[in-house]
Amino acid sequence: MSQFLQVVLSGLSTGSIYALAAVGFALVWQAAQTVNFAQGEFVMLPAFFALVAIHWFGWPLWAGFAFAMLASLAILGLAFKGLVVQPMMPDGGLPLVIATMAVSILLKESVKTFYGAEAQPFPSPLPDGTLQIGGAVISIRDLFDLLASLAVVGGLTLFLDRTRTGRQMQAAAQSPAVAEILGVDVARMTLYAFLVNAALAAFASFLVSPTYLAKFSNGESLGLVAFIAAIVGGFNRIRGALVGGLLVGVLDNLVATYVTQEYRAALPLVLLIAVILWRPQGLLGDAEGRTV
Amino acid sequence: MSRRNFLTAAAFAVAAIGLGGAARAADVVKLPCVCELSGAGAVSGTNYRDGAHIAVDEINAAGGILGKKIEMTDYDTQTDPMTSRALIQKVIDDGAYVIIGTVYSGSTAVNMLVAQKAGVPQFTGAEAPDITAKGNPYIFRTSSGAEKGVPALTAYFKDTVKAKKIAISWVNNDFGKGGHDVFLSEMKKAGIQVVADVPSEQGQVDFSADVSKIKQAGADAVFVYLNEEESARILKEAVKQGLKIPMVGEVTLTGQKVIDLAGGAAEGALAHVGLATSAPVPSIQAFAANFKKIYKRDTDHNGIKGYIAVWATKYVTEMIGKFDRKAFADKMHGLTLDVAKYPHMLLTTSWDKTGELSRESFMTEVKGGKQVITGTVPAN
Amino acid sequence: MSSRRPLALIVAAVLLAVLLILPVGHGSYFIYLLCSWLMFTIAAMGLNLTLGYAGRISLAQASFMGVGAYTTAILTLHGWPWLAAAPVGVLLCFVVGLLLGFPALRVRGHFLAFVTLAFNTLFFLVARNEDWLTGGSYGLSDIPRPRIGPISADGQLAFYYFTLAVSALAILALWGIVRSPWGRAFKALRENEVRAESLGLDTRRITLLAFAIGSAFGGLAGAIEAPLVQYIEPNSFAVGESLKVLLMVVVGGLGDFWGPALGAAMVVLLPEALRGTRYYLIVYALFVIALMVLKPTGLMGIGKTFLARLAKSRAAAATEAKP
């Protein structure tokens, strides 16, 4: 029983990181029909921005995080939207998919060439301790990851549902033409989606890197998991992506513990196929949302 | 439309094919470095290459090999066996004397067939057992294969830990599987029961299931056969879950990189290390310091492997007195390079008839955030 | 159109002649590159049929190359001749492709992309974990090269001509398919499904066929890869390889018959051209991004625009000269 609790708790914590990546992915997908194959790299990169500030410029921790957040907003938000996605709108289609794949190669190779190929330790402002919960052990960082992700996704949901800007963002994503007529600045709302995605990616990066280290290739598996989480949960609802992320994190651990290690990666994929074929709006999604 | 398509396609095809290679003949000897400079093997490959280049610079500064300067060109296999095969083919076409690389076993297993066919000696960094088990007379290791390294640990498990039940955590690729298979047969011979056999994915981040399985199985010790960052992750997770049995590895587990990555969690980890940059040998420590001075970073044992590959090429070529690939390979078999006479080998090194290497190795432990040598295992 | 066909044939013949003499005098590395270019061309042309002509995306082409390669490898290692083993692999791909086509009846676009991507990853897991069949992560080695009667394709040059012959036949077959009623049905499916249906086309059957045939070409490419590399392992057929084939199709020119050949040439040869620069993958990525942003129709698109401009300026010059 304590083993069960242990792997579920750990899975929730890992899943919360997946959820952050998945939420951003879903936002960008909705806002600009962009399936971002570089999403995993978007989570990998901000940690290196912080490392550059801390180790190369000799800045303190908080300044490093602030710098990384700003750099992410500028490069993963503004530049990605302005230089890659915008010129290919409104109907990016496959060339846009290919372009995001190339972006993923570019980010990986740049980090490897200009910072290093080896995994790097990453500082955390949080203490190292652990807590006992009914026979299972959870580290303070894991617990913080989980709560912080829940808070961020909760806050984001409130923002999208309760604020004027948030509602405009949703309207712009669901039917840009109608939104335009109603006086919504669709281009600006789309930009916001990209900025929110960049901020979420940076935040996920700060949370994940102290435990899982910073490495140029970290995005490879993370990106795929983010897709799966977003689709399984339901990409047109933010909380869908959250649930998807947590579900994938927990299932992965349960399968590895009780069923098979060799095929632990298979279950999320099977789930993905099943959801797409029989419930394409996702477990928590609404059927009315825009289908892609 | 068809005509235009044809014309464009034809024009592009012809243009693309114009990228032939330029030949050049000079008084140089070609030692191409074919390595994993990108992809999953980038860390190992880059260190291997950089170590090799230090040797090339030293040798060229001292007059080269038999009066010829070494020309070393780098080729990136992208950690892809198919590309590595093509590149080995290319460097042979270009007149390679001896090939330095590749490091990954999966690539080496395929590209060494090409070098064998062409009769070009090859120094690999691969450690999988099957590399030297195929009767290829042109392949030579630069570190012992897993079939030599893992058995060195058997005595430790049997006599020091007195383990009855043991667990293994391994990375599920060709590297991990090589170690895993040798380990299982060793434990069977030693009469130790393997109670948890836990494979993990390359790049896996969450090791909670792995550690909880090992904990549940009640093992007396666990053998960890993972790459650096996965090693660090499992060490951290083991501390978190309070797994209090010896964590024992082969080569990587007590390396400086793992210590840096795992922080305090690496404390007490043990490993058998064929070549350690922290080995209590002045020449190895001097090399490690020199590497750091040149490249502004630390190397793992792959840097040393690349370095001795190039120096061995010089020593052996000057022994036979000519650039003869066949004679070179023949000379290598059963050869021992004594460090007293050949100082740049760093440690006395022997190759047997299969190209397998043996030399003194070390038992290490992480103490106070440093890799400490706790014992020496004689060459076998 | 028909008046142009003889010319097309002439150009094809010239191209074939160029490919016949090309390797002469070159080292085996160059010949090896040509072989792998031909192999990827077949795989990419197959995907182009599914994606470019019929408009149904598949991110699983590498898994079909895998099915073809493993089938060919296992059978030839058991003493089957290549000529018997390869068709089995291709047929198997046709059947599996047909099955993978079923999701395409339900979902489109990005969703279909993810289903096929998931399929490819599942294939990788099976290839890695089922040691008894596939050799697991050690892979299968010492795969024999084909031997047809007394002729052995063991040497590098002989194998190149073998690959060239197989590729030429495959491309010819594809040319026929594209021009057949099926080919027209594929295009109708891409342009407007509802209209295609109203014209009496069985869109279900056509969709499945597009998948099956495209996959079969992937299988053929795999059947060539096995004896080319003489070693196969699961990583050669992972999702990354599928993305590479997709890149070839889109960079070459989506839905253009010769586009994949061009795209494959770029992906196979460009790293070679850029070698020596430490930043070649970065340069490569930037090039692809720039190409996609500035010219989404790919390399064939650039070529066509260029030729069109040339023709236009020539026409302009002619009208100017007239009065």
Side-chain angles (χ1 to χ4, degrees):
Chain A
M1 190 58 210
S2 67
Q3 186 185 22
F4 179 79
L5 196 61
Q6 180 69 56
V7 295
V8 168
L9 282 175
S10 298
L12 282 175
S13 156
T14 314
S16 67
I17 306 291
Y18 298 158
L20 287 178
V23 168
F25 172 76
L27 270 182
V28 164
W29 184 353
Q30 271 184 294
Q33 279 72 62
T34 308
V35 171
N36 181 13
F37 273 85
Q39 186 72 8
E41 279 68 34
F42 275 34
V43 178
M44 174 276 294
L45 190 63
F48 283 93
F49 287 143
L51 288 176
V52 164
I54 294 166
H55 294 312
W56 291 8
F57 308 160
W59 292 4
L61 206 57
W62 65 268
F65 285 147
F67 170 78
M69 182 55 87
L70 290 176
S72 303
L73 289 173
I75 292 173
L76 305 178
L78 270 179
F80 177 61
K81 161 82 170 24
L83 298 177
V84 180
V85 179
Q86 189 66 48
M88 302 175 81
M89 295 276 276
D91 187 27
L94 272 175
L96 181 51
V97 167
I98 299 288
T100 65
M101 286 176 193
V103 167
S104 118
I105 299 176
L106 179 69
L107 298 182
K108 262 191 295 201
E109 291 301 316
S110 302
V111 166
K112 205 187 75 195
T113 310
F114 301 115
Y115 200 92
E118 294 180 302
Q120 309 288 334
F122 190 83
S124 165
L126 296 171
D128 255 336
T130 53
L131 298 171
Q132 293 276 347
I133 302 175
V137 190
I138 186 166
S139 72
I140 291 172
R141 277 186 206 159
D142 286 353
L143 195 63
F144 179 81
D145 288 357
L146 181 58
L147 296 178
S149 308
L150 288 174
V152 164
V153 175
L156 191 61
T157 310
L158 282 180
F159 167 74
L160 288 175
D161 288 345
R162 300 286 164 79
T163 67
R164 196 179 144 75
T165 315
R167 282 197 297 265
Q168 286 191 343
M169 279 176 71
Q170 292 198 52
Q174 267 151 25
S175 51
V178 177
E180 195 85 64
I181 293 166
L182 293 175
V184 175
D185 185 346
V186 173
R188 175 176 291 266
M189 293 308 131
T190 311
L191 177 63
Y192 286 169
F194 278 82
L195 289 176
V196 171
N197 177 42
L200 287 173
F203 189 61
S205 195
F206 302 155
L207 291 183
V208 76
S209 303
T211 314
Y212 298 145
L213 316 168
K215 191 180 180 194
F216 76 99
S217 58
N218 273 4
E220 286 166 10
S221 50
L222 198 59
L224 181 64
V225 177
F227 301 160
I228 297 176
I231 294 170
V232 166
F235 69 92
N236 60 12
R237 278 288 173 269
I238 295 298
R239 62 169 189 276
L242 174 70
V243 171
L246 297 178
L247 190 66
V248 171
V250 171
L251 275 181
D252 177 50
N253 272 354
L254 287 178
V255 170
T257 308
Y258 297 109
V259 189
T260 160
Q261 290 269 153
E262 284 90 345
Y263 282 106
R264 70 186 295 176
L267 189 79
L269 296 167
V270 173
L271 191 65
L272 172 80
I273 295 178
V275 164
I276 288 181
L277 292 185
W278 287 288
R279 202 181 152 77
Q281 70 271 32
L283 297 177
L284 293 190
D286 294 336
E288 306 103 65
R290 176 194 282 175
T291 50
V292 182
Chain B
M1 82 153 220
S2 42
R3 185 178 60 138
R4 284 225 177 106
N5 288 1
F6 261 129
L7 288 178
T8 16
F12 270 99
V14 171
I17 274 138
L19 312 159
R24 70 152 143 171
D27 241 11
V28 296
V29 54
K30 288 183 177 172
L31 295 188
C33 177
V34 183
C35 275
E36 292 76 358
L37 303 181
S38 62
V43 177
S44 315
T46 309
N47 282 330
Y48 196 80
R49 174 197 66 184
D50 290 345
H53 275 279
I54 294 180
V56 169
D57 292 344
E58 287 174 1
I59 293 171
N60 281 346
I65 304 178
L66 294 176
K68 285 194 183 189
K69 290 265 155 76
I70 301 175
E71 180 186 282
M72 176 171 278
T73 314
D74 303 335
Y75 296 87
D76 177 15
T77 69
Q78 301 167 33
T79 320
D80 172 34
M82 188 165 155
T83 308
S84 85
R85 183 191 154 118
L87 289 174
I88 293 287
Q89 187 72 261
K90 178 176 173 59
V91 301
I92 290 169
D93 288 356
D94 290 349
Y97 170 57
V98 170
I99 299 166
I100 309 299
T102 47
V103 179
Y104 262 40
S105 306
S107 291
T108 306
V110 39
N111 65 46
M112 72 181 204
L113 300 173
V114 179
Q116 179 184 9
K117 209 174 212 172
V120 180
Q122 182 180 7
F123 281 101
T124 176
E127 286 163 11
D130 56 334
I131 298 292
T132 50
K134 286 185 176 161
N136 179 340
Y138 287 96
I139 194 82
F140 301 98
R141 287 201 206 268
T142 50
S143 59
S144 312
E147 78 279 13
K148 287 224 169 196
V150 175
L153 284 167
T154 313
Y156 175 80
F157 285 126
K158 212 171 154 183
D159 307 330
T160 312
V161 184
K162 303 204 188 315
K164 297 269 178 300
K165 293 190 279 183
I166 202 153
I168 171 171
S169 164
W170 53 288
V171 55
N172 198 349
N173 59 20
D174 56 325
F175 158 77
K177 203 163 161 54
H180 166 258
D181 292 357
V182 175
F183 182 77
L184 288 200
S185 79
E186 277 295 311
M187 289 304 110
K188 200 170 175 186
K189 271 191 267 168
I192 301 173
Q193 190 195 355
V194 176
V195 288
D197 185 348
V198 190
S200 54
E201 297 295 329
Q202 194 165 347
Q204 181 174 314
V205 291
D206 188 345
F207 276 87
S208 59
D210 306 59
V211 170
S212 86
K213 276 181 111 164
I214 293 165
K215 201 174 166 189
Q216 206 75 11
D220 301 320
V222 53
F223 178 57
V224 180
Y225 204 70
L226 301 168
N227 298 318
E228 270 107 354
E229 60 268 28
E230 288 84 2
S231 294
R233 287 171 192 147
I234 199 171
L235 287 170
K236 286 181 173 190
E237 185 68 30
V239 168
K240 187 181 112 186
Q241 293 196 24
L243 185 69
K244 294 203 167 51
I245 55 177
M247 308 276 289
V248 185
E250 164 70 14
V251 186
T252 46
L253 196 64
T254 57
Q256 191 55 45
K257 190 74 211 174
V258 174
I259 298 173
D260 289 347
L261 292 174
E267 205 60 26
L270 300 149
H272 169 253
V273 180
L275 263 185
T277 47
S278 67
V281 179
S283 56
I284 289 183
Q285 283 170 0
F287 170 80
N290 190 29
F291 189 103
K292 186 155 190 179
K293 206 177 95 202
I294 294 171
Y295 297 107
K296 312 269 178 290
R297 63 183 163 82
D298 288 309
T299 179
D300 59 9
H301 65 296
N302 285 299
I304 308 179
K305 283 154 69 177
Y307 180 78
I308 65 155
V310 177
W311 271 102
T313 306
K314 176 182 163 74
Y315 289 141
V316 176
T317 305
E318 297 192 335
M319 257 180 225
I320 57 177
K322 57 186 174 181
F323 292 99
D324 181 334
R325 299 182 181 92
K326 175 89 175 52
F328 183 96
D330 290 345
K331 183 80 196 169
M332 285 285 297
H333 291 127
L335 179 73
T336 296
L337 291 177
D338 190 328
V339 74
K341 204 165 159 213
Y342 305 101
H344 290 282
M345 294 309 294
L346 306 181
L347 278 176
T348 298
T349 307
S350 321
W351 285 271
D352 70 7
K353 277 202 238 8
T354 64
E356 178 61 70
L357 169 149
S358 76
R359 70 184 145 214
E360 193 176 58
S361 56
F362 309 95
M363 283 302 295
T364 60
E365 185 176 350
V366 180
K367 283 183 187 162
K370 284 262 170 267
Q371 184 189 56
V372 179
I373 306 281
T374 53
T376 306
V377 183
N380 51 350
Chain C
M1 205 65 196
S2 56
S3 67
R4 277 181 181 173
R5 197 162 290 173
L7 189 66
L9 280 177
I10 293 170
V11 179
V14 170
L15 204 65
L16 192 64
V18 168
L19 287 177
L20 276 172
I21 30 176
L22 199 59
V24 177
H26 279 281
S28 37
Y29 173 65
F30 183 73
I31 299 172
Y32 184 91
L33 276 187
L34 284 180
C35 289
S36 83
W37 168 61
L38 285 171
M39 177 201 100
F40 274 118
T41 298
I42 297 177
M45 280 185 159
L47 178 60
N48 193 30
L49 188 77
T50 317
L51 175 61
Y53 284 86
R56 297 295 184 271
I57 192 169
S58 161
L59 292 184
Q61 193 68 343
S63 61
F64 291 108
M65 293 169 73
V67 171
Y70 274 106
T71 310
T72 308
I74 292 166
L75 291 179
T76 52
L77 283 171
H78 279 85
W80 285 44
W82 187 89
L83 273 182
V88 176
V90 172
L91 198 69
L92 199 58
C93 284
F94 186 89
V95 174
V96 180
L98 208 60
L99 294 177
L100 192 64
F102 277 97
L105 300 176
R106 295 184 66 110
V107 291
R108 285 298 127 74
H110 297 146
F111 279 139
L112 185 56
F114 285 120
V115 171
T116 52
L117 188 143
F119 172 81
N120 202 139
T121 311
L122 290 173
F123 171 82
F124 169 83
L125 289 174
V126 171
R128 188 197 62 189
N129 291 339
E130 302 308 317
D131 292 24
W132 58 275
L133 183 65
T134 63
S137 33
Y138 293 149
L140 296 170
S141 50
D142 303 323
I143 299 161
R145 288 209 160 160
R147 165 177 282 284
I148 297 159
I151 312 161
S152 148
D154 217 21
Q156 210 62 263
L157 198 62
F159 189 78
Y160 169 73
Y161 286 123
F162 164 79
T163 309
L164 186 61
V166 174
S167 310
L169 288 176
I171 292 171
L172 206 62
L174 198 64
W175 182 261
I177 293 172
V178 167
R179 250 126 248 278
S180 73
W182 282 358
R184 286 193 290 277
F186 291 157
K187 275 185 251 178
L189 191 67
R190 178 188 62 186
E191 300 304 336
N192 189 334
E193 191 171 347
V194 180
R195 209 176 122 241
E197 199 138 6
S198 70
L199 289 174
L201 280 175
D202 183 351
T203 52
R204 286 174 62 90
R205 209 186 59 176
I206 294 297
T207 304
L208 294 181
L209 257 183
F211 257 89
I213 297 176
S215 308
F217 276 86
L220 182 63
I224 294 174
E225 179 167 2
L228 170 66
V229 190
Q230 297 186 286
Y231 168 80
I232 52 172
E233 48 104 32
N235 282 310
S236 307
F237 310 105
V239 172
E241 290 298 300
S242 282
L243 300 185
K244 199 156 118 183
V245 178
L246 178 70
L247 189 85
M248 291 171 185
V249 173
V250 180
V251 162
L254 194 62
D256 191 300
F257 191 81
W258 294 102
L262 207 52
M266 195 201 84
V267 174
V268 175
L269 299 177
L270 196 66
E272 188 54 25
L274 294 174
R275 188 186 314 290
T277 64
R278 197 169 150 230
Y279 308 110
Y280 81 90
L281 276 170
I282 295 177
V283 174
Y284 174 74
L286 286 172
F287 171 78
V288 173
I289 296 171
L291 181 70
M292 289 296 105
V293 169
L294 302 174
K295 197 80 197 171
T297 46
L299 295 174
M300 283 307 256
I302 295 181
K304 278 184 196 163
T305 315
F306 177 72
L307 283 179
R309 266 199 208 138
L310 206 70
K312 211 166 146 194
S313 66
R314 206 183 290 160
T319 45
E320 245 169 56
K322 246 177 207 165

